[in-house]
Amino acid sequence: MATTKSNSFIVYCDLNDQLQLLSDEEAGIVFKNIIGYSLTGQLSLTDNKAVNVVLVGMATQIDRNKRKYEEVRAKRSAAGKKGNEHRWHHNDSTEAEVSTQAEEKTSAPDKGDLGASDRAIPVKEKKASSAVKHTRVASVEDRKNDFIKSMEMYTHDYDADMLNDFYRYWTELNKQRTKMRFEMQKTWEVGKRLAMWSRKSYNQA
């Protein structure tokens, strides 16, 4: 028998056929022992074979129901993590694309404003500058992924909308696009920040 604890269990009506074969005293022993099994995971058999048959049958059914419940919960948890990861990474991809486009526009001067000295800038120098900027964007994206991983253990404690709002707020970039909001805090613990955020109903503190 499994040694798992539970605060509740299901009793099926077809158990009535077996209980009718027992005396009221024996039926009381069955229910007293099966409640103990549900709380402690330990089945206490008696000297009465008829009582033991019913006890073992009920304990087996309790274990079977618990396994089904755990399987369903595990599937839902995996689906929830996959959905949250998809939403977060989708937001990251969009932000990275906008950031890259903005940098390309900034690094590309208007040909109509170029003077003689500007035209003399070697092409290789411009490419090197662009490469540095793209490296910086990749570094920020890696840190955002780390931030997402630090939140994954709390997906069961808070709903997806709150986690997404928390993520978007604390990963906002500064004007130089080199640091995120949470990186500029003197102290930072994801669990404590989430708890505070939840108590303040998403107020951005």
Side-chain angles (χ1 to χ4, degrees), residues 36 91 95 98 114 169:
N91 291 336
E95 290 177 5
V98 172
L114 288 176
Y169 178 79

PDB file of all heavy atoms in Angstrom, residues 36 91 95 98 114 169:
ATOM      1  N   GLY A  36      -8.115   6.381   9.173  1.00  0.00           N
ATOM      2  CA  GLY A  36      -6.738   6.401   9.665  1.00  0.00           C
ATOM      3  C   GLY A  36      -5.748   6.186   8.532  1.00  0.00           C
ATOM      4  O   GLY A  36      -4.690   6.824   8.487  1.00  0.00           O
ATOM      5  N   ASN A  91       7.068  37.525 -25.982  1.00  0.00           N
ATOM      6  CA  ASN A  91       7.290  38.931 -25.650  1.00  0.00           C
ATOM      7  C   ASN A  91       8.753  39.304 -25.819  1.00  0.00           C
ATOM      8  O   ASN A  91       9.089  40.388 -26.292  1.00  0.00           O
ATOM      9  CB  ASN A  91       6.863  39.200 -24.201  1.00  0.00           C
ATOM     10  CG  ASN A  91       5.359  39.108 -24.029  1.00  0.00           C
ATOM     11  OD1 ASN A  91       4.615  39.286 -24.993  1.00  0.00           O
ATOM     12  ND2 ASN A  91       4.896  38.823 -22.818  1.00  0.00           N
ATOM     13  N   GLU A  95      10.319  42.231 -28.280  1.00  0.00           N
ATOM     14  CA  GLU A  95      11.142  43.311 -27.752  1.00  0.00           C
ATOM     15  C   GLU A  95      12.516  43.331 -28.406  1.00  0.00           C
ATOM     16  O   GLU A  95      13.060  44.385 -28.719  1.00  0.00           O
ATOM     17  CB  GLU A  95      11.290  43.147 -26.240  1.00  0.00           C
ATOM     18  CG  GLU A  95       9.993  43.412 -25.487  1.00  0.00           C
ATOM     19  CD  GLU A  95      10.157  43.169 -23.997  1.00  0.00           C
ATOM     20  OE1 GLU A  95      11.303  42.902 -23.584  1.00  0.00           O
ATOM     21  OE2 GLU A  95       9.151  43.252 -23.277  1.00  0.00           O
ATOM     22  N   VAL A  98      12.213  44.805 -31.940  1.00  0.00           N
ATOM     23  CA  VAL A  98      12.044  46.260 -31.908  1.00  0.00           C
ATOM     24  C   VAL A  98      13.349  46.931 -31.534  1.00  0.00           C
ATOM     25  O   VAL A  98      13.738  47.943 -32.114  1.00  0.00           O
ATOM     26  CB  VAL A  98      10.940  46.644 -30.897  1.00  0.00           C
ATOM     27  CG1 VAL A  98      10.904  48.151 -30.711  1.00  0.00           C
ATOM     28  CG2 VAL A  98       9.594  46.139 -31.383  1.00  0.00           C
ATOM     29  N   LEU A 114      25.445  63.875 -44.728  1.00  0.00           N
ATOM     30  CA  LEU A 114      26.857  63.527 -44.666  1.00  0.00           C
ATOM     31  C   LEU A 114      27.722  64.614 -45.285  1.00  0.00           C
ATOM     32  O   LEU A 114      27.465  65.079 -46.399  1.00  0.00           O
ATOM     33  CB  LEU A 114      27.117  62.210 -45.393  1.00  0.00           C
ATOM     34  CG  LEU A 114      26.598  60.940 -44.703  1.00  0.00           C
ATOM     35  CD1 LEU A 114      26.857  59.751 -45.608  1.00  0.00           C
ATOM     36  CD2 LEU A 114      27.247  60.748 -43.361  1.00  0.00           C
ATOM     37  N   TYR A 169       7.208  44.312 -16.185  1.00  0.00           N
ATOM     38  CA  TYR A 169       7.588  45.498 -15.420  1.00  0.00           C
ATOM     39  C   TYR A 169       9.064  45.466 -15.025  1.00  0.00           C
ATOM     40  O   TYR A 169       9.810  46.430 -15.240  1.00  0.00           O
ATOM     41  CB  TYR A 169       6.711  45.608 -14.168  1.00  0.00           C
ATOM     42  CG  TYR A 169       7.066  46.774 -13.289  1.00  0.00           C
ATOM     43  CD1 TYR A 169       6.642  48.059 -13.596  1.00  0.00           C
ATOM     44  CD2 TYR A 169       7.838  46.593 -12.132  1.00  0.00           C
ATOM     45  CE1 TYR A 169       6.974  49.129 -12.792  1.00  0.00           C
ATOM     46  CE2 TYR A 169       8.174  47.662 -11.326  1.00  0.00           C
ATOM     47  CZ  TYR A 169       7.734  48.933 -11.658  1.00  0.00           C
ATOM     48  OH  TYR A 169       8.069  50.003 -10.863  1.00  0.00           O
TER      49      TYR A 169
END
